[in-house]
Amino acid sequence: MQVLGTGTTPGGRSIAWVAPDVDTVSMFTQALAGTYGKDIAIAVARELGLEPSPGKPLSLRTIEMALDMAQMTRHALEGVDFGTRLDCSATAGGPGFIGACRDLGIAPESVDPAQRQRIDESMAQRFDQAAAQGQTPVSSHTAQEWLRELLTT
């Protein structure tokens, strides 16, 4: 890739102009996937009609719209995960936690505060890993599986 020039947008984002024989749309879509996850990148590209097009420039307006859409989508999905995290919180005694205990024949009140804290910390790590891999929102079913696994270890 031959960079012809670099600069910044009025919003402070770095930009680069590359030689026209490069498929900037595909490169940009790959960068979106690396930052926001494959599913978000696919959704944004579909919504904006971003198709591979070697030699065609990608406008700053399109880039900014795509970045805004990806960020808003990420925030929306994080909101869904927040609700699932709260539902499965051992410390808060969420309905998901209570249900997982009952599924395993464990009295929820028998799980001591230290164990509840460890469960919540492990759940947070799993939610964070899922987010980092673009696997959000985490389904209630998956979160319940995690809880049952943590309650039996």
Side-chain angles (χ1 to χ4, degrees):
M1 170 173 55
Q2 179 185 7
V3 177
L4 301 175
T6 60
T8 56
T9 67
R13 293 181 173 137
S14 295
I15 56 173
W17 289 268
V18 294
D21 61 337
V22 176
D23 185 358
T24 55
V25 173
S26 293
M27 289 175 55
F28 178 69
T29 304
Q30 289 170 2
L32 272 179
T35 302
Y36 295 98
K38 185 180 89 172
D39 291 340
I40 291 176
I42 289 170
V44 168
R46 183 178 52 242
E47 187 67 27
L48 294 177
L50 299 178
E51 297 286 333
S53 50
K56 290 181 77 180
L58 189 57
S59 74
L60 177 59
R61 183 170 193 262
T62 300
I63 291 169
E64 287 179 334
M65 284 180 10
L67 291 172
D68 289 343
M69 288 174 70
Q71 188 64 37
M72 287 187 338
T73 303
R74 175 186 271 172
H75 285 309
L77 295 175
E78 287 170 350
V80 172
D81 275 350
F82 176 77
T84 306
R85 285 181 191 225
L86 191 56
D87 179 67
C88 293
S89 173
T91 304
F97 170 74
I98 304 268
C101 287
R102 292 203 174 123
D103 288 348
L104 296 169
I106 298 171
E109 60 276 1
S110 71
V111 182
D112 66 61
Q115 186 179 5
R116 287 175 183 245
Q117 182 66 35
R118 285 191 299 275
I119 289 169
D120 282 353
E121 288 169 1
S122 293
M123 289 292 286
Q125 288 175 346
R126 291 175 186 213
F127 273 101
D128 292 345
Q129 278 182 325
Q133 295 170 354
Q135 299 172 343
T136 53
V138 172
S139 71
S140 294
H141 177 75
T142 298
Q144 286 289 311
E145 287 178 359
W146 293 347
L147 274 172
R148 286 190 293 273
E149 179 185 320
L150 292 168
L151 282 163
T152 58
T153 57

